[in-house]
Amino acid sequence: MTVWAVTLAATLAALLGFRFAVRRGLAPKRVPHDRTPADLGLAFDAVRIPTARGRRLYAWFVPAESAAPAPVALVMHGWGGNAAMMLPLVPALHAAGLAVLLIDARCHGHSDEDDFASLPRFAEDIDHALAWLRHCPQADAHRIALVGHSVGAGAVLLAASRRDDVAAVVSLAAFSHPEAMMRRLLAHKRVPYLPLGWLVLRYVEHVIGHRFDDIAPVTTIAAIRCPTLLLHGVQDTTVPPSEARLIHAARSGEHVRLRIIAASHDDFGHPQDIAAEVAELTGFLRKALTEPA
């Protein structure tokens, strides 16, 4: 074998190893559900929603008490999460008169596997869940809010920035920019930014088909026109609250509100610890979805 052939083979092996390491290192952990809405005393339907690339999402639809088509909160979990992790928010939303649709993103929970997950694919899944709701007789298609946590928060902001048919948005602990979030992750894994970390970030942009600048919440917030609530915990060590302030500063108007609360990144899954803030969240949605503009 010539030196050229050996060099080529070594280069290809290195590239394949790099690709495998990045995809494996960044892939979300699939966590099974540990409960359902029935554990909270709520009736629900388990549904399958078609999404991109022929995949299907697993979701729970919790109807409102009202027999008439009701306003809906579509809830998206964060990276490595699932619909069950967002269940603690549902009783308050249901008590406010809302139906709730909780979805598992692709590669998460009980939804189909795909070749990779990403913030834009979370947003795609939200788009398809919205399409499903528009044919659901128990949902009022003109009064749908998006609620997302962490990466799911970035996804609801991205989805809402591209649509004019979302009535309200609630972002729970969103990061301001994917690159900032990934640089923190790489630093935690002790991956030096130059040159390896920089290569990882550029490779991820290539794979997901989007520049981080274009999908960053600090960018998408400016295109959102509906009432929007940014909630962020002052004790959040995963995403510093300064990032919520950056998103808020980039808003296009006063329809975007920011609340920094006494919570950590994951306290939104434990609403008993932030009861006043959950009441504010539901009050915000009730006003946006049930009161005349």
Side-chain angles (χ1 to χ4, degrees):
M1 184 178 291
T2 67
V3 173
W4 180 87
V6 171
T7 301
L8 177 60
T11 301
L12 289 174
L15 289 173
L16 289 172
F18 175 80
R19 177 181 181 274
F20 175 79
V22 172
R23 286 180 177 256
R24 182 175 182 179
L26 298 179
K29 181 180 179 181
R30 188 183 284 270
V31 180
H33 298 153
D34 60 356
R35 52 187 164 172
T36 75
D39 293 307
L40 303 178
L42 296 170
F44 72 100
D45 293 315
V47 300
R48 287 281 183 178
I49 299 172
T51 187
R53 296 166 50 82
R55 270 58 174 188
R56 288 184 173 269
L57 307 177
Y58 183 83
W60 292 320
F61 181 74
V62 180
E65 291 287 353
S66 169
V72 184
L74 192 167
V75 181
M76 174 60 89
H77 59 78
W79 193 260
N82 60 35
M85 294 179 182
M86 304 304 292
L87 273 174
L89 292 176
V90 176
L93 296 172
H94 189 259
L98 309 182
V100 185
L101 179 68
L102 302 108
I103 63 177
D104 286 337
R106 274 173 286 174
C107 305
H108 291 74
H110 291 171
S111 288
D112 288 352
E113 191 67 22
D114 210 336
D115 55 349
F116 66 85
S118 67
L119 189 155
R121 286 196 171 178
F122 271 52
E124 279 182 4
D125 292 343
I126 291 166
D127 287 337
H128 287 278
L130 284 167
W132 183 87
L133 281 171
R134 301 200 185 288
H135 293 91
C136 175
Q138 295 162 292
D140 185 337
H142 301 291
R143 295 187 294 166
I144 300 176
L146 305 180
V147 181
H149 176 248
S150 195
V151 171
V156 300
L157 293 171
L158 176 58
S161 73
R162 304 185 297 200
R163 311 178 65 103
D164 60 5
D165 57 352
V166 172
V169 177
V170 177
S171 161
L172 307 174
F175 49 76
S176 63
H177 201 290
E179 181 151 344
M181 186 67 193
M182 291 193 66
R183 287 186 67 165
R184 284 196 296 273
L185 175 63
L186 292 172
H188 177 72
K189 293 177 178 287
R190 299 185 179 180
V191 176
Y193 179 66
L194 293 175
L196 191 55
W198 183 88
L199 289 172
V200 169
L201 296 177
R202 301 294 75 80
Y203 174 72
V204 171
E205 284 186 317
H206 168 73
V207 169
I208 69 175
H210 296 270
R211 295 174 64 247
F212 290 146
D213 286 345
D214 296 333
I215 62 173
V218 75
T219 301
T220 58
I221 191 67
I224 298 176
R225 297 290 179 264
C226 63
T228 300
L229 177 62
L230 307 174
L231 277 176
H232 209 105
V234 72
Q235 287 103 19
D236 192 334
T237 57
T238 303
V239 180
S242 58
E243 300 213 12
R245 296 186 180 95
L246 289 174
I247 299 170
H248 186 246
R251 70 196 186 282
S252 60
E254 297 310 309
H255 58 286
V256 180
R257 294 166 46 193
L258 170 64
R259 282 278 285 115
I260 303 295
I261 65 174
S264 69
H265 190 72
D266 295 316
D267 279 347
F268 298 103
H270 306 280
Q272 68 276 9
D273 297 329
I274 50 170
E277 289 74 16
V278 171
E280 180 176 354
L281 183 160
T282 55
F284 167 81
L285 289 178
R286 185 188 300 110
K287 180 178 178 64
L289 296 178
T290 65
E291 295 184 8

